[in-house]
């Protein structure tokens, strides 16, 4: 399933209400991640991109943060990952998805992680996980 399909599904389930698609792109954290012996006990740079599909049902059309989902909850949850150890990017993505889907208004999310320093010939290695409520 790709992001376009997630958005389409969320729109279908929204009952005719608007849907917001929020993006938090390019957050770089130093996290202990890796399954291989040479990765254990050391931190690696990981780039994180998150897309959330959010019901706009609670938005009253005013210009007030209280009527929408604030990005801070997600940014802070990602920063807190610095204190955890992960073997797999799949697990890291799952932890971020859990956090991304916390607000009631969030209908679906996609998380992409990229380990940035694995191969000198490659910009990054990574994956994307999707989940909808």
């Amino acid at each position: 399933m790709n992001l376009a399909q997630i958005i389409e599904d969320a729109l279908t389930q929204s009952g005719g209400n608007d849907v917001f698609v929020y993006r938090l792109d390019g957050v770089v954290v130093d996290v202990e991640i890796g399954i291989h012996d040479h990765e254990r006990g050391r931190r690696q740079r990981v780039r994180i991109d998150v897309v959330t599909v959010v019901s706009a049902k609670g938005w009253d059309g005013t210009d007030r943060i209280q009527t929408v989902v604030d990005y801070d909850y997600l940014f802070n949850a990602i920063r807190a990952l610095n204190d955890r150890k992960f073997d797999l990017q799949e697990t890291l993505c799952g932890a971020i998805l859990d956090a991304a889907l916390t607000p009631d208004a969030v209908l679906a999310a996609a998380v992409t992680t990229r380990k940035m320093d694995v191969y000198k010939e490659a910009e990054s290695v990574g994956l994307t996980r999707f989940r909808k409520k």
Side-chain angles (χ1 to χ4, degrees):
M1 179 178 290
N2 62 32
L3 179 59
Q5 185 64 52
I6 288 176
I7 294 169
E8 183 180 328
D9 289 350
L11 287 168
T12 301
Q13 296 173 5
S14 71
N17 293 307
D18 286 355
V19 172
F20 298 133
V21 177
Y22 294 162
R23 300 189 70 91
L24 180 59
D25 291 327
V27 179
V28 177
V29 295
D30 286 321
V31 65
E32 188 176 339
I33 188 167
I35 196 76
H36 301 291
D37 288 341
H38 68 273
E39 295 176 304
R40 299 233 183 240
R42 71 176 194 87
R43 296 183 171 277
Q44 296 186 57
R45 290 184 315 145
V46 177
R47 178 190 163 125
I48 300 168
D49 300 316
V50 183
V51 176
T52 54
V53 180
V54 178
S55 169
K57 194 190 249 181
W59 185 51
D60 63 8
T62 62
D63 202 21
R64 297 179 311 116
I65 191 72
Q66 297 83 358
T67 64
V68 296
V69 175
D70 188 344
Y71 296 95
D72 285 351
Y73 85 97
L74 187 53
F75 183 74
N76 291 331
I78 291 170
R79 286 181 40 194
L81 297 173
N82 284 331
D83 300 329
R84 292 185 54 191
K85 186 219 173 288
F86 298 92
D87 284 340
L88 301 172
Q89 288 191 71
E90 290 83 351
T91 309
L92 173 60
C93 280
I96 299 166
L97 277 171
D98 290 344
L101 293 167
T102 300
D104 290 338
V106 177
L107 304 171
V111 175
T112 300
T113 60
R114 294 179 183 96
K115 291 168 56 172
M116 300 168 63
D117 301 315
V118 175
Y119 305 115
K120 74 176 175 179
E121 299 86 3
E123 190 174 292
S124 63
V125 297
L127 72 110
T128 300
R129 272 183 74 174
F130 303 98
R131 188 183 304 155
K132 65 180 182 176
K133 288 182 177 174

